[in-house]
Amino acid sequence: MDLQFLSSTPTDDERAAVDAAVAGQAPSRDLLLPALHAVNDRVGWISQGALNHICRTLEVPPADAYGVASFYSLFSLVERPKRVVHACVDLACKVNGAERLTDALTDAFGPASGKTGDVTWLRSPCLGVCERAPAALVFQAGEPATEQLLAPVASEALVEVATLGPSTVDVPTLVPQQGDGGLRLLKRIGVVDPTSLDDYRATGGYSGLRNALLLGPVGVIREVSDSKLMGRGGAAFPTGRKWDATARQPVRPHYLVCNADESEPGTFKDRVLIEGDPFALVEAMTITAFATGCAKGYLYLRGEYPKALHLLENAIAKARERGFLGENIMGHQGFSFDIEIRRGAGAYICGEETAIFNSIEGFRGEPRSKPPFPVEQGLFGKPTVVNNVETLVNIPLILTEGCEAYARIGTAGSSGSKLFCLSGNVRRPGVYEVPFGATLGELLELAGGVPEGRELRAILLGGAAGGFVRPDELDLKLTMEDARAAGTTLGSGVVLVLDDTADLGGFLLRIAAFFRDESCGQCVPCRIGTVRQEEALHRVVGGKKLSTGGDDLLVLREVGQVMRDSSICGLGQTAWNAIESAIDRLGALEKPLERGKRA
């Protein structure tokens, strides 16, 4: 391949970072994302010289590499200080004081994205710690790079850490229901050492894999199908059917991808599962691989989850050492499987299953048109199983207790238990586990309801891509079928509570800004529609009118419908959902909403 490069050369640090990241591996485009991470971690930004060296090493066209590097928000192609502060301004943090943090950072270090000495700071989308809002992440490039999550954080403490640099202070992973005997998915979290394989096995770990090896691949798929397990990422597709379709494909190899890139504002359940019970995910992926004939698995993890990354690396290494990963797993001749972690770099769209494939393969994380579907042509063009973290950690339960016992929990249409992420104006935010069929009111009661002296105004279900429900709808049963019948969605399990002090206008504007920022730009309806949606919403919230005298609500509806009908992927198709439900269910925009004031 005749590649043309600019004259820039890498520094010694940049060269060393790239060479270490790809050492011992043949040049391949799928190493592009790890190589970009390596430079960004070591130096703090990606120079033209570093990009040149990456392209020469991996034999990737420079224009392609630039397109990939510029796609992700955690990377910078312009020089910046090694210390970067990411201050969350998304939904849960917005209603819990994010503006106080950004004001303090502005006073201390100047405007966002500016350079003040050794520090720059950025307004960040959701960091996935909504139960401890407001939150910030402080990153320090170096060898090694260090990161510190601060949540919840006061303005003074954030400025101090931003000034002095991150430390190794750890934020514990806890669940409000800890000690509840009815917990299943959350039973080990806060109770068992997440770094200990022995502790995991002492609490039943790897009994599911042992049973799977006895049943055989066909038997495992039958158990999962009969359990009626549905995907927990929002689409609710039957897991057994997906596995069976992949297993039947004659083309080899097959791949497994675990989607751990939860970026939906208000979602943090996968992070809690990984940080509190990482071996369960490793075991679940191994069972899935056995059933579907996958020899290689990729765990695509959010780039903003440093603690989860450390714990997963430890769990995979220990599982490999003890014969639970690698060749002839648990002595089962011919069954080999291993897991590679791929870090995301700040792109909500990479939660879409085909965008993950592009990201892993070293392309921009843009969705692909379907068909063909992943079970036929997925990662590297081969049959691929894609499941998210919560879906997968149900698998050892099913293989341990049996499909019939599992299916008895929940309802006929929604089996098992479900994790819900409660945040916002609620007394005890956190991840809660309840059987499908519990009501929204019962879930809210578990979390203590809204703070004393306040009134419930609305609840956002499913995150920015979800919809609102009213205070008089708390008898809604939390099942896939009941949510669908009520014209809403459970989505990824977000339950974001707003009380009567919430700035609903500003909240809706944040949703619109989120989708405008996160649109990958590949298709016109989403690329243009998300911008027009935000513009119209600004006019409505500010009480302004179109210069033509037109109706902005009509504009919002038309733009929203076009995005829903003609966008390539779920981002554009759902970008209008929450705003539409605020209009139709809450009557939120019947009169102008001024930012910072109640409607």
Side-chain angles (χ1 to χ4, degrees):
M1 185 183 298
D2 184 18
L3 302 181
Q4 301 298 316
F5 298 94
L6 297 179
S7 58
S8 301
T9 57
T11 65
D12 290 343
D13 277 349
E14 291 168 341
R15 188 185 301 275
V18 174
D19 293 349
V22 303
Q25 303 178 76
S28 175
R29 184 169 186 147
D30 72 283
L31 297 174
L32 180 54
L33 188 56
L36 292 171
H37 266 298
V39 173
N40 193 73
D41 287 350
R42 179 78 67 92
V43 183
W45 68 291
I46 301 165
S47 71
Q48 183 63 59
L51 208 58
N52 281 348
H53 184 58
I54 290 172
C55 293
R56 285 193 172 94
T57 302
L58 302 182
E59 300 177 1
V60 175
D64 286 8
Y66 178 88
V68 172
S70 61
F71 185 80
Y72 297 99
S73 65
L74 294 185
F75 297 150
S76 175
L77 292 170
V78 296
E79 187 172 3
R80 66 183 182 185
K82 290 190 172 185
R83 191 175 308 143
V84 181
V85 180
H86 301 272
C88 178
V89 295
D90 233 318
L91 304 182
C93 288
K94 181 173 180 58
V95 300
N96 282 286
E99 289 186 7
R100 293 194 297 272
L101 299 185
T102 56
D103 288 346
L105 290 170
T106 301
D107 291 342
F109 306 110
S113 301
K115 302 175 185 178
T116 303
D118 297 328
V119 184
T120 188
W121 71 276
L122 307 169
R123 287 182 169 85
S124 170
C126 183
L127 293 172
V129 284
C130 315
E131 80 276 30
R132 298 198 293 266
L137 181 69
V138 182
F139 167 81
Q140 177 77 47
E143 178 53 31
T146 54
E147 294 175 282
Q148 183 179 355
L149 181 66
L150 301 161
V153 61
S155 302
E156 299 79 6
L158 177 57
V159 171
E160 181 179 358
V161 174
T163 302
L164 301 177
S167 68
T168 57
V169 175
D170 185 31
V171 178
T173 304
L174 300 173
V175 296
Q177 293 169 292
Q178 184 176 320
D180 186 332
L183 295 180
R184 295 155 58 75
L185 301 178
L186 301 177
K187 65 181 180 181
R188 295 187 185 91
I189 298 175
V191 177
V192 173
D193 180 1
T195 68
S196 172
L197 177 55
D198 290 332
D199 281 8
Y200 177 67
R201 295 187 67 192
T203 54
Y206 280 104
S207 58
L209 177 57
R210 184 176 296 106
N211 291 341
L213 295 176
L214 293 174
L215 285 170
V218 174
V220 172
I221 293 176
R222 184 173 57 249
E223 285 288 307
V224 173
S225 297
D226 291 347
S227 75
K228 301 179 183 178
L229 174 67
M230 293 185 292
R232 302 298 200 240
F237 191 83
T239 304
R241 192 190 306 173
K242 179 186 291 188
W243 286 18
D244 184 57
T246 307
R248 290 177 182 274
Q249 296 296 320
V251 177
R252 289 293 190 272
H254 294 178
Y255 290 102
L256 168 63
V257 174
C258 171
N259 183 352
D261 190 55
E262 59 172 359
S263 303
E264 185 71 49
T267 310
F268 48 95
K269 58 185 174 61
D270 291 352
R271 190 207 87 239
V272 169
L273 287 170
I274 293 170
E275 292 181 352
D277 201 7
F279 288 102
L281 180 56
V282 175
E283 180 185 5
M285 290 183 68
T286 309
I287 295 171
T288 306
F290 175 70
T292 56
C294 300
K296 179 70 177 290
Y298 287 89
L299 202 163
Y300 193 93
L301 180 68
R302 278 199 71 176
E304 298 92 339
Y305 282 0
K307 181 178 178 182
L309 174 63
H310 170 73
L311 288 166
L312 280 172
E313 288 174 336
N314 172 75
I316 291 170
K318 288 188 174 178
R320 195 179 289 130
E321 289 170 6
R322 301 278 284 275
F324 294 108
L325 283 176
E327 301 291 328
N328 302 321
I329 292 172
M330 292 184 73
H332 192 87
Q333 294 298 315
F335 173 41
S336 301
F337 174 69
D338 215 333
I339 299 171
E340 181 177 342
I341 299 174
R342 285 295 171 94
R343 293 163 60 197
Y348 170 75
I349 192 63
C350 286
E352 197 276 338
E353 60 184 4
T354 62
I356 287 183
F357 302 155
N358 277 337
S359 184
I360 292 173
E361 291 176 20
F363 297 94
R364 290 168 64 87
E366 297 173 341
R368 302 173 183 176
S369 296
K370 292 182 282 191
F373 295 97
V375 297
E376 300 165 328
Q377 294 181 35
L379 186 65
F380 304 117
K382 303 299 182 182
T384 304
V385 179
V386 186
N387 288 125
N388 74 356
V389 174
E390 185 187 354
T391 305
L392 286 168
V393 296
N394 279 274
I395 301 302
L397 279 176
I398 295 169
L399 271 296
T400 300
E401 65 188 20
C403 59
E404 293 181 1
Y406 182 91
R408 282 196 293 268
I409 297 172
T411 67
S414 299
S415 66
S417 57
K418 178 77 181 79
L419 300 183
F420 290 96
C421 309
L422 272 80
S423 63
N425 303 133
V426 64
R427 292 188 187 186
R428 292 191 297 275
V431 174
Y432 287 83
E433 180 179 355
V434 296
F436 276 114
T439 68
L440 182 57
E442 290 168 344
L443 181 61
L444 188 58
E445 187 177 345
L446 275 178
V450 297
E452 186 176 357
R454 299 184 186 178
E455 294 182 7
L456 178 63
R457 182 176 190 183
I459 298 176
L460 179 63
L461 288 182
F468 288 96
V469 297
R470 302 184 304 271
D472 63 351
E473 297 180 291
L474 296 184
D475 60 349
L476 173 66
K477 289 186 178 180
L478 297 172
T479 69
M480 307 293 188
E481 59 271 21
D482 285 288
R484 194 178 303 114
T488 186
T489 177
L490 301 185
S492 56
V494 174
V495 181
L496 205 157
V497 181
L498 300 178
D499 66 19
D500 55 349
T501 66
D503 172 12
L504 187 55
F507 193 83
L508 295 177
L509 281 170
R510 175 56 210 164
I511 290 175
F514 173 81
F515 283 114
R516 180 251 299 150
D517 287 342
E518 297 295 341
S519 172
C520 74
Q522 181 182 191
C523 68
V524 172
C526 180
R527 182 176 71 241
I528 303 299
T530 52
V531 174
R532 296 292 172 259
Q533 176 174 267
E534 185 189 20
E535 291 172 347
L537 194 58
H538 265 291
R539 290 192 295 269
V540 174
V541 170
K544 299 177 181 179
K545 299 290 185 182
L546 277 169
S547 59
T548 60
D551 186 346
D552 276 302
L553 288 181
L554 180 60
V555 170
L556 278 171
R557 289 190 186 278
E558 289 180 345
V559 169
Q561 195 61 50
V562 169
M563 288 193 291
R564 180 176 293 163
D565 291 343
S566 53
S567 294
I568 288 176
C569 79
L571 188 152
Q573 294 163 11
T574 61
W576 158 241
N577 284 4
I579 297 169
E580 179 185 36
S581 70
I583 296 170
D584 293 342
R585 296 180 89 108
L586 305 181
L589 302 180
E590 292 176 354
K591 58 183 179 179
L593 290 174
E594 294 184 18
R595 297 191 66 180
K597 297 183 179 181
R598 298 182 189 179

